[in-house]
Amino acid sequence: MSRAVEWDASSYDAQALPQQEWGRVVLDRLDLNGEETVLDAGCGTGKTTRTILERLPNGRIIGIDASAVMIAEAESVLGDDPRVVLKVADLTEIDFEAVADVVFSSATFHWILDHERLFRRLHASLRPGGRIEAQCGGEGNVAELHRALDALAGDERFSPYLRSELQTWNFAGVGITEARLRRAGFESVRVWLEQSPVTPRDPPGFLRTVMLPWHLKRLPAELHDEFVDAVVSSQPRPLSVGYVRLNISAHRPSV
């Protein structure tokens, strides 16, 4: 299952510039001929989806996201283009069978706890010979920040709201991801980690919008500013977020 978080979609677009850049890097790994059907797994606000669409003059896109807010924003970004289908869904529950030539995903899979089931469903969604190009948070991702968040969960100001909640993200490593992909039926599997530190121009805004929605959702509104300030104060200055990206490239066999 995925960890459903309802985002502030407009603020996310303004703050999530690193995520958008990572999406462009993954997209550049695709060699599209312009006629494919692409499954955008975790399409978010649709900005990267729109970039994919520009490379598909005779193709189409199926955009999936677990957040209804994100899908609503994507609908406004992409309009009523008949080449686009958008759907609110958990990626581990999609029931597509052999509909896509390509699965594209950026900054999504770490929100999903069951990667075994995720990769099985994405494999099933691909036509024979189809491929997946993806990137998400990997082993060691934002480790220093998460240590600070664990400490703040024990702070008496915040612990009644955060201590009892499991804060589980799936920052997987290379070896286990390779094994899971192969068990799902993929071949030509390539998985690698990449350091991608980010120094946000607006640390409080970046943390509030991109890093902390899960925490803020559980805190009363009157504690939001205090919590964000506490997180900022716990980090070295200037704030550098130690992102580690897990990159995935694999194919469904042709036969």
Side-chain angles (χ1 to χ4, degrees):
M1 64 178 291
S2 63
R3 293 167 45 78
V5 174
E6 283 301 353
W7 308 87
D8 181 335
S10 58
S11 295
Y12 186 90
D13 260 354
Q15 293 285 351
L17 299 180
Q19 284 77 2
Q20 294 168 24
E21 178 58 31
W22 297 330
R24 285 190 287 269
V25 170
V26 177
L27 178 56
D28 287 343
R29 301 204 308 249
L30 294 175
D31 183 19
L32 298 173
N33 63 29
E35 297 184 351
E36 293 92 345
T37 295
V38 175
L39 173 61
D40 188 351
C43 62
T45 63
K47 278 200 168 181
T48 302
T49 314
R50 183 172 58 192
T51 303
I52 300 171
L53 196 60
E54 292 169 356
R55 305 188 187 192
L56 296 172
N58 299 307
R60 70 187 189 108
I61 290 182
I62 304 168
I64 303 295
D65 203 283
S67 168
V69 171
M70 288 294 196
I71 288 292
E73 183 72 11
E75 289 171 344
S76 68
V77 168
L78 296 164
D80 56 357
D81 193 313
R83 296 174 296 161
V84 179
V85 174
L86 298 173
K87 182 177 180 180
V88 178
D90 184 323
L91 287 170
T92 65
E93 301 296 333
I94 57 175
D95 57 0
F96 303 134
E97 299 292 335
V99 298
D101 302 293
V102 176
V103 169
F104 166 91
S105 187
S106 179
T108 296
F109 291 172
H110 56 267
W111 289 104
I112 297 173
L113 302 184
D114 189 349
H115 280 189
E116 296 276 1
R117 182 173 177 82
L118 169 68
F119 294 149
R120 288 198 303 270
R121 294 314 310 148
L122 294 179
H123 181 275
S125 75
L126 284 167
R127 296 182 178 121
R131 63 196 187 278
I132 178 173
E133 292 288 347
Q135 160 274 124
C136 64
E139 186 175 22
N141 189 55
V142 295
E144 184 174 343
L145 182 61
H146 278 296
R147 283 192 289 272
L149 291 172
D150 286 343
L152 285 172
D155 186 303
E156 63 181 10
R157 294 171 294 175
F158 314 122
S159 60
Y161 310 101
L162 300 179
R163 176 61 82 182
S164 62
E165 294 283 352
L166 293 176
Q167 301 176 26
T168 308
W169 289 264
N170 195 349
F171 296 140
V174 170
I176 188 62
T177 300
E178 289 177 342
R180 287 167 173 163
L181 288 162
R182 290 195 174 97
R183 283 196 291 269
F186 285 100
E187 64 179 14
S188 302
V189 173
R190 182 177 173 230
V191 181
W192 68 102
L193 290 171
E194 184 175 8
Q195 302 286 332
S196 187
V198 169
T199 301
R201 290 174 293 182
D202 172 17
F206 184 86
L207 291 172
R208 181 186 296 272
T209 303
V210 178
M211 304 295 299
L212 302 179
W214 184 89
H215 298 79
L216 297 178
K217 179 180 178 181
R218 286 155 178 78
L219 289 168
E222 61 269 21
L223 287 179
H224 285 193
D225 289 346
E226 191 171 352
F227 185 75
V228 173
D229 289 344
V231 176
V232 172
S233 298
S234 73
Q235 299 299 297
R237 298 189 183 185
L239 175 66
S240 180
V241 183
Y243 283 109
V244 179
R245 312 318 291 167
L246 179 73
N247 291 278
I248 295 169
S249 180
H251 286 74
R252 175 173 176 167
S254 299
V255 292

